Amino acid sequence: MLPITRHGLREIVIGSLVLAVVAALLGLVHWSLTFLVLPVWIWLLSFFRDPNRTLPAEQHAMVSPADGKVTDIVELDHVPELNGPGVRVGIFLSVFNVHINRAPCDGKVLAVNYKKGNSSTR
């Protein structure tokens, strides 16, 4: 069975219900049209998949926290949260990538700093 993240269950249930209604309405036109929602439903399930990952045996190995394509690696002179220099790694996730972020190495969360995003439209 495809492992699904528990964080996407609400979206899967709501999306499946909406797709079932759409399929029923399409079925009123012609029964074969109900199958048009199948690719969307499969994509919905695959978007929230959580596959197991094999970790390297090396003790101090660091792995990527996310699937996708590394778009930039930038050395920063000062990161306030670290009170010193740091490295930012940008990873682009397409709609076909697994959208689970993992911890790339052992660590302890010392603080959480929430920064609200910009919701204005262009």
Side-chain angles (χ1 to χ4, degrees), residues 13 40 42 45-46 62 71 78 98 109 117:
V13 169
V40 179
I42 291 171
L45 293 178
S46 67
M62 185 177 282
T71 56
H78 183 74
V98 173
V109 177

Side-chain angles (χ1 to χ4, degrees), residues 14-102:
I14 293 170
S16 295
L17 290 173
V18 169
L19 288 173
V21 169
V22 170
L25 293 173
L26 288 171
L28 294 174
V29 176
H30 192 272
W31 67 269
S32 63
L33 293 177
T34 60
F35 295 107
L36 290 176
V37 301
L38 192 57
V40 179
W41 186 68
I42 291 171
W43 172 83
L44 177 68
L45 293 178
S46 67
F47 185 85
F48 292 104
R49 67 194 185 279
D50 185 10
N52 293 324
R53 296 290 189 235
T54 304
L55 297 175
E58 185 181 331
Q59 182 179 1
H60 297 292
M62 185 177 282
V63 296
S64 175
D67 291 357
K69 180 179 180 179
V70 174
T71 56
D72 63 321
I73 300 173
V74 179
E75 291 187 32
L76 303 170
D77 295 331
H78 183 74
V79 179
E81 294 83 5
L82 299 175
N83 198 23
V87 176
R88 184 188 73 221
V89 178
I91 302 173
F92 173 75
L93 300 177
S94 79
V95 294
F96 301 108
N97 291 120
V98 173
H99 278 65
I100 298 291
N101 287 295
R102 296 171 166 85

